[in-house]
Amino acid sequence: MICPYIVNRKTVRQLVSEYDEDGNETSWQQIEKDTAEPMICMQQACGAWKDGRCAYRGE
């Protein structure tokens, strides 16, 4: 079972700057990649697991 509430999140940021021959910054660009992978339900090891099912949302 895949848990819809917890994910492994990874964010990668890359900043690229360009300079002229005098060393002045002429432009820059920021690239960001954000990924979130769902995790497998931990069932009994999860604090929200009650009576054989997930009770994360109070259900």
Side-chain angles (χ1 to χ4, degrees), residues 11-30:
T11 303
V12 177
R13 288 188 188 106
Q14 180 181 15
L15 181 62
V16 178
S17 298
E18 292 185 9
Y19 299 90
D20 63 15
E21 60 244 7
D22 296 326
N24 299 316
E25 186 175 52
T26 57
S27 66
W28 64 272
Q29 178 182 22
Q30 180 174 325

Side-chain angles (χ1 to χ4, degrees), residues 18-59:
E18 292 185 9
Y19 299 90
D20 63 15
E21 60 244 7
D22 296 326
N24 299 316
E25 186 175 52
T26 57
S27 66
W28 64 272
Q29 178 182 22
Q30 180 174 325
I31 302 167
E32 183 172 306
K33 181 179 181 183
D34 187 27
T35 57
E37 290 187 28
M39 295 179 62
I40 295 174
C41 178
M42 299 185 311
Q43 296 181 358
Q44 288 85 6
C46 178
W49 191 261
K50 292 190 173 92
D51 298 325
R53 62 188 205 113
C54 182
Y56 183 80
R57 298 186 61 122
E59 298 170 357

